Amino acid sequence: MPKEQPRPEPLDPPMVPFALAGTAAWAVVGLVLLVFFRDWLTEHGHRNWLWICLAGFLWGFPGLAVMMRHDANRRRRRAAAGN
């Protein structure tokens, strides 16, 4: 019978950088579309893409708040496990 190996610890990275990166990505894409592709978007009927980028950027703030709370709980869990 094969010997059981110990299970690795699950990954629990800090999540705030991911939320910030996603929010920044929506902002950058929106600005690029606005500055360089506004005419193309209008000609092809895709102006709603700018609104999608704005929505992604704005939804990033509640997501950031949730991830900040998650990371605070993560720090508490790790501090309690260390005692």
Side-chain angles (χ1 to χ4, degrees):
M1 191 157 200
K3 188 176 178 182
E4 284 193 36
Q5 295 182 358
R7 297 181 109 190
E9 288 292 320
L11 294 178
D12 192 17
M15 298 304 290
V16 169
F18 292 104
L20 287 173
T23 303
W26 281 113
V28 168
V29 170
L31 288 174
V32 167
L33 288 175
L34 184 64
V35 171
F36 297 110
F37 295 100
R38 184 189 315 172
D39 296 333
W40 184 90
L41 292 172
T42 303
E43 289 172 14
H44 292 86
H46 295 303
R47 249 180 118 190
N48 60 335
W49 289 6
L50 294 171
W51 291 108
I52 292 168
C53 290
L54 179 63
F57 174 72
L58 292 176
W59 274 108
F61 291 106
L64 178 61
V66 169
M67 292 302 106
M68 289 171 69
R69 191 165 141 202
H70 172 273
D71 283 354
N73 289 336
R74 176 180 166 270
R75 284 190 296 275
R76 260 194 303 271
R77 281 192 316 265
R78 289 189 175 199
N83 291 335

